[in-house]
Amino acid sequence: MSETGFYIFAVIAIIIVALLLRHIVTCLMRTVVIVVLLVVLAAVYYFFVGQYDPEMHDAVENALQEYKNRH
């Protein structure tokens, strides 16, 4: 293979590798973003929704019962 052929092959190989890396990095970035969002949603659920407060539960149940009795 002549030097020109080698350089053409090298340029084509670099372009293909760059396209593959761009695709792989894009997929990895999407995966990282999705994992971070899932962790944030899990933390929000745990800290704000998942905690069971018996007093709040009783207050909501009493309010619902009162509403049903009125209507």
Side-chain angles (χ1 to χ4, degrees):
M1 183 184 288
S2 68
E3 287 185 26
T4 308
F6 175 75
Y7 287 121
I8 291 173
F9 174 77
V11 169
I12 291 173
I14 289 172
I15 292 171
I16 291 173
V17 168
L19 291 173
L20 287 174
L21 281 177
R22 188 184 74 159
H23 179 70
I24 292 169
V25 170
T26 303
C27 290
L28 286 175
M29 289 304 293
R30 281 188 202 145
T31 304
V32 168
V33 168
I34 289 171
V35 167
V36 168
L37 286 176
L38 288 175
V39 168
V40 168
L41 288 174
V44 167
Y45 177 79
Y46 176 76
F47 287 114
F48 296 107
V49 179
Q51 294 179 352
Y52 178 73
D53 185 5
E55 292 177 10
M56 180 65 80
H57 180 72
D58 292 342
V60 170
E61 286 295 319
N62 292 338
L64 284 173
Q65 196 65 10
E66 227 176 276
Y67 178 78
K68 287 179 185 176
N69 289 338
R70 277 195 248 157
H71 293 97

